[in-house]
Amino acid sequence: MVFAASATVIALAGTLLSRVADRLADRTRLGEAIAGAVLLGATTSIPGTVTSVAAAANGNVDLAASNALGGIAAQTAFLAIADMAYRRANLEHAAASVANLTQATLLILLLAVPVVAIYTPDVTVLGIHPATFVLLFSYVAGLKMAGRDRDNPMWKPIMTAKTREDVPEDERDPRALWQLVALFLGLAAVIGAAGLAIAQSGIVIAEETGLGETIVGTLFTAVATSLPELVTTIAAVRAGALQLAVGGIIGGNVFDVLFLAAADVAYRDGSIYHAIDGGSVFWALVGLIMTGVLLLGLIRREEHGVANIGFESALLLAIYATAVAIMVL
C-alpha cells in the first residue's frame, strides 16, 4: 500500500512539474532541451536517487544498482510511449535538437564507465571508487558542451513542416520567477519524499516476497521511481514542448547513471561497482543498446514509421520487453 500510494504521489506531482519546467524554460531562456536535461532530468530523478542511496546505505547493493540501471531502460521505453501520444509525426523527427544529441552521446559514455569499472582493480579513495569521480567530471563537462552546442551549433537540423521549433512562448503566467522556482522546489521535495518511501517499501517487498533485490529493483522500484519521467514526458508532448519531453527523458537517464556515483558514496563497504551482481550489469548493457537505438532515431529523424511512430520507438519497446522477459525467466 505504501509503495502504491508513493507511486501515485510521484505521478501527480510529476504532471505539475512539467508545466512549471516549461514556463521556467521560457522565462529563463534556457531552452527546452537544456531545461529538460537539467530541470526535469534532475528533479524527476530525485525518487530514484533517494531510492538508490538509501538502499546502498543499508547495504542493499543490488537493489541500488538495478534501480538505477533498470530505470534507464524503463524511461527510454517511456519515450516510445510518448511518441505514440504525439500523432502528427514521429516525436524524434519533430523534436530535433543538437543539445539532445549531445546528451544522448554523453549518456552512452556514462553508461560504459560502470561496466568498465567492474573489471578495474578494487581500490577506493575514502571508500569511493575512482570511477565515481570520472562519472561526475564527465557529467559536468558534457552538460557544458550541450549548452555550447545549443548556443553555437556547428550544424542544424533540416526544418520541415512537422518540425517543432523551440521558440519561447509569450509570457502569460502572472506568477513571478521566484514563485515558479518555489513551486518547482516544493514539487521536487514532494517527489523526493515519495521516493524515500518507495525505497523503504521496495526493500521490504524484496525480502518478504523472495523475488530478490535485482528483480524488485528492475521491475518495481525502477518503474515506480521512473513514473515522473513518463508523466512529465506525456504532459510535455501534449503541451507541445517536444524538446522538453525528449530532453527530460535523456537528462533523467544521465542522472540515473549518477545514482551509482551517489550510491558508491553511500556504500561504506568498498566499491559498489565490484559488489553488484550480473543482473545489474545486464541492465547497463541493455541501457547502452537502447540509447544507441534512440541516438540513431534522433539522427535519422524518420517522419513516420510503424503505427505512426519511428523505427526507433518500435525497436525500443521490443528490446525492453525482451530484456524484461529474459530477466524474469
Side-chain angles (χ1 to χ4, degrees):
M1 290 176 65
V2 170
F3 187 95
S6 300
T8 302
V9 169
I10 288 173
L12 294 175
T15 303
L16 297 175
L17 201 66
S18 67
R19 300 173 188 169
V20 179
D22 191 21
R23 285 167 172 74
L24 284 174
D26 292 339
R27 189 75 68 87
T28 60
R29 295 299 190 267
L30 273 176
E32 289 180 3
I34 298 298
V38 178
L39 297 180
L40 276 188
T43 310
T44 55
S45 294
I46 289 175
T49 304
V50 172
T51 299
S52 289
V53 170
N58 290 331
N60 302 98
V61 177
D62 294 329
L63 179 62
S66 60
N67 173 71
L69 299 171
I72 293 171
Q75 287 157 201
T76 308
F78 288 165
L79 193 58
I81 296 175
D83 194 0
M84 295 177 181
Y86 189 68
R87 305 308 303 164
R88 292 185 59 190
N90 175 21
L91 181 60
E92 281 73 31
H93 172 89
S97 167
V98 179
N100 282 337
L101 288 178
T102 305
Q103 285 286 308
T105 308
L106 172 64
L107 176 57
I108 291 175
L109 171 64
L110 294 181
L111 272 171
V113 171
V115 177
V116 173
I118 294 171
Y119 299 98
T120 61
D122 187 1
V123 296
T124 59
V125 179
L126 300 178
I128 303 172
H129 192 274
T132 294
F133 300 107
V134 173
L135 285 174
L136 296 175
F137 173 79
S138 300
Y139 172 73
V140 174
L143 199 60
K144 288 184 178 180
M145 185 180 295
R148 287 197 300 268
D149 288 346
R150 173 187 175 272
D151 296 333
N152 300 290
M154 294 302 292
W155 65 269
K156 293 184 179 180
I158 295 175
M159 305 302 290
T160 70
K162 300 295 178 61
T163 304
R164 195 272 185 186
E165 210 170 350
D166 181 12
V167 178
E169 300 175 358
D170 293 335
E171 186 53 61
R172 298 177 181 176
D173 197 313
R175 289 172 290 191
L177 178 60
W178 71 267
Q179 291 176 311
L180 289 174
V181 171
L183 178 58
F184 189 89
L185 294 177
L187 290 170
V190 171
I191 288 177
L196 182 60
I198 286 281
Q200 298 301 321
S201 58
I203 292 171
V204 175
I205 291 173
E207 293 173 349
E208 295 297 325
T209 61
L211 289 175
E213 292 180 13
T214 302
I215 291 291
V216 172
T218 302
L219 302 182
F220 287 85
T221 64
V223 173
T225 56
S226 296
L227 283 176
E229 280 86 352
L230 175 62
V231 174
T232 55
T233 299
I234 293 178
V237 166
R238 289 181 174 175
L242 305 187
Q243 285 89 351
L244 183 73
V246 176
I249 287 291
I250 298 175
N253 284 348
V254 170
F255 270 93
D256 279 13
V257 184
L258 296 185
F259 292 177
L260 283 179
D264 187 36
V265 175
Y267 184 62
R268 294 290 79 199
D269 294 330
S271 164
I272 196 171
Y273 308 103
H274 293 81
I276 59 179
D277 66 358
S280 298
V281 178
F282 170 77
W283 281 106
L285 297 174
V286 171
L288 273 168
I289 294 172
M290 294 181 73
T291 306
V293 170
L294 174 59
L295 184 56
L296 285 175
L298 290 170
I299 294 172
R300 178 68 180 85
R301 295 185 63 211
E302 186 177 49
E303 187 170 340
H304 296 285
V306 181
N308 203 38
I309 60 176
F311 76 92
E312 73 283 353
S313 293
L315 272 176
L316 289 175
L317 291 175
I319 293 169
Y320 183 68
T322 302
V324 170
I326 290 172
M327 177 60 64
V328 172
L329 296 177

